[in-house]
Amino acid sequence: MAKAETKMKVMVLSGECGLSASEEEEEKQRMLEMHAIDVVTTMGPGYKGPNLHVIRGYYLAKAVDEVKIYVKSYREIWKKTDVLKTARLLHQLFREVVLYVGVENIVHMMTDNAANYVVASKLLMEEFPLIFWSPCAAHCINLILQDIGKLQSVCSVVEHASGIINILAHKNELRAMVTSREWVSSAYAKYSKGKKFVESVLDSLFLEECAIIMRMSEPLVRVLRMVDGDDRPSMGYLYDDIHHAKEEMLRRFQKRKAKVKPFIDIINNRWDGQLYRNLYAVAFWLNPQFQYDANIMDKHMSIISGLLDVLEKYAHGNLPLQSKITSEMKLFRNAKHDFGRASAINNRTFMPPGI
């Protein structure tokens, strides 16, 4: 048995297990192979290597035991290093970061949307009132799409067939294929899965439901791409993009409001209960792309209250400072002084607010 173990080591050292060395390790590999040859010569003539049953039996079991021993050596360490992500512990971790960075240097904090993170962040804002917190926008949009996926009307479509997107994207070609002489005479057409596939392709109601789901979800996917991308900071655009997505969904199904209502309700529930924050309202109001578009601003006059809440919060009760901020808001709103320059006007819709 000792010879068999040596033989196994030789196989590994000589590269017979299928692994190849990188260019940087070629020299090392050659040395290992020479050593392997030396080991083989010590085995003597007539040696037979272990068969398949021995390798997958004895040697595999031995390797598993070695791994178990290795894992066991770390168990004591787990007790010292692993912790539960309770709200209290997360609050302590966040607090350490805030104190290290400096409260005066932090305006906005964003975390996961899980309940323990929400509680921890609320505790942090109670201790440091000048810090704003919001859940991750991309995570919230994903949760909205997950909620939509749980609707019975959506579930039934998904269960009806897989590969919905491919069917929709190529439905004309697929219809032509499943009605062709080649398909009808092929073996695929006789299988149960093939018959179900044909039923799905030719089922006009199914295709219509698929199209509705895609047209309903597409505006939300665009928002997800925006908040999850690196093209521009999303803070100044999220408020408008969410409302624009809802308006687009209502416009697409204006004659079928009952169809779109469950989708809108899901968005409103997540937006009102989790994602909307006064800081998003401020970023929207301060974005020149929206500020000077009367059609947009007139629909969202309610954000002024959130804007004032943020400004008063940072004024610390300093009335002269509040008056100064109010006067500067008027300059910005009415495009006075530098806000009225030709360069500022020309770049309202092209240049991100931060720039």
Side-chain angles (χ1 to χ4, degrees):
M1 194 59 69
K3 289 185 177 181
E5 291 180 359
T6 305
K7 180 61 177 177
M8 286 297 296
K9 293 178 181 178
V10 171
M11 291 173 65
V12 174
L13 291 173
S14 61
E16 293 179 19
C17 55
L19 299 176
S20 61
S22 61
E23 291 184 13
E24 294 81 2
E25 296 184 342
E26 284 185 358
E27 185 63 26
K28 181 180 178 181
Q29 182 70 15
R30 279 194 289 269
M31 293 179 65
L32 289 173
E33 290 174 353
M34 292 176 63
H35 176 69
I37 293 173
D38 292 337
V39 174
V40 170
T41 59
T42 65
M43 303 298 297
Y47 172 76
K48 295 182 179 181
N51 57 34
L52 173 64
H53 299 290
V54 174
I55 293 176
R56 72 180 184 182
Y58 172 78
Y59 288 111
L60 178 60
K62 187 173 182 179
V64 171
D65 290 338
E66 290 177 354
V67 172
K68 287 181 178 179
I69 294 172
Y70 180 75
V71 171
K72 186 178 180 180
S73 67
Y74 278 89
R75 290 187 182 276
E76 294 300 321
I77 302 176
W78 293 348
K79 296 177 182 178
K80 300 177 182 178
T81 57
D82 280 15
V83 293
L84 296 175
K85 294 181 180 179
T86 63
R88 187 66 60 181
L89 176 64
L90 289 172
H91 169 248
Q92 293 176 358
L93 293 175
F94 294 161
R95 187 177 186 276
E96 290 177 8
V97 174
V98 169
L99 294 176
Y100 178 78
V101 176
V103 182
E104 69 280 2
N105 299 319
I106 300 176
V107 175
H108 185 211
M109 183 173 177
M110 187 178 298
T111 70
D112 193 353
N113 200 30
N116 52 343
Y117 282 90
V118 173
V119 174
S121 301
K122 288 182 178 178
L123 292 173
L124 194 71
M125 288 192 293
E126 290 176 1
E127 185 175 0
F128 305 108
L130 293 183
I131 294 179
F132 287 91
W133 170 83
S134 69
C136 173
H139 187 206
C140 280
I141 301 299
N142 273 319
L143 291 176
I144 290 174
L145 292 171
Q146 287 181 23
D147 290 343
I148 290 175
K150 295 176 184 177
L151 291 173
Q152 184 57 44
S153 59
V154 177
C155 289
S156 60
V157 172
V158 174
E159 292 173 359
H160 190 57
S162 59
I164 296 175
I165 295 178
N166 289 330
I167 291 176
L168 281 173
H170 308 286
K171 61 181 180 181
N172 292 331
E173 294 90 338
L174 288 171
R175 283 178 173 175
M177 183 192 78
V178 298
T179 56
S180 66
R181 181 182 302 174
E182 290 83 356
W183 172 268
V184 174
S185 60
S186 71
Y188 298 108
K190 299 177 177 60
Y191 295 145
S192 59
K193 289 184 178 180
K195 293 178 180 179
K196 289 182 180 179
F197 175 73
V198 173
E199 290 176 0
S200 298
V201 172
L202 298 179
D203 188 347
S204 59
L205 179 60
F206 164 72
L207 292 174
E208 182 183 355
E209 290 296 322
C210 288
I212 289 174
I213 294 172
M214 292 186 66
R215 293 186 65 205
M216 204 85 75
S217 303
E218 191 268 337
L220 282 174
V221 174
R222 280 194 275 112
V223 179
L224 179 60
R225 288 176 179 172
M226 188 273 296
V227 297
D228 206 27
D230 298 322
D231 296 338
R232 63 182 184 182
S234 60
M235 177 70 77
Y237 300 91
L238 180 60
Y239 183 95
D240 179 72
D241 282 355
I242 284 288
H243 286 276
H244 182 73
K246 292 195 297 183
E247 290 174 353
E248 178 66 16
M249 293 165 71
L250 289 169
R251 185 191 65 78
R252 291 181 178 185
F253 296 92
Q254 55 185 335
K255 295 182 179 180
R256 307 175 67 179
K257 293 183 179 180
K259 199 75 175 177
V260 74
K261 187 179 183 301
F263 292 76
I264 298 297
D265 289 344
I266 288 174
I267 297 174
N268 288 338
N269 181 54
R270 291 284 183 184
W271 173 252
D272 295 338
Q274 297 174 337
L275 191 53
Y276 175 77
R277 293 291 184 273
N278 285 340
L279 210 58
Y280 291 133
V282 175
F284 168 74
W285 194 88
L286 291 174
N287 191 333
Q289 179 174 336
F290 308 127
Q291 178 60 244
Y292 303 109
D293 189 327
N295 293 327
I296 293 178
M297 295 306 294
D298 289 346
K299 292 188 296 184
H300 302 290
M301 295 302 295
S302 60
I303 67 168
I304 298 297
S305 178
L307 170 67
L308 294 175
D309 285 344
V310 173
L311 296 179
E312 290 174 0
K313 183 175 184 177
Y314 275 92
H316 301 287
N318 187 331
L319 296 181
L321 177 59
Q322 290 185 30
S323 298
K324 183 178 181 181
I325 293 175
T326 302
S327 63
E328 290 184 352
M329 286 172 58
K330 291 180 180 178
L331 293 177
F332 176 64
R333 180 74 181 90
N334 298 320
K336 299 293 184 181
H337 300 321
D338 287 342
F339 294 117
R341 287 176 178 267
S343 58
I345 294 173
N346 291 335
N347 287 299
R348 284 175 179 173
T349 57
F350 302 106
M351 189 176 291
I355 298 176

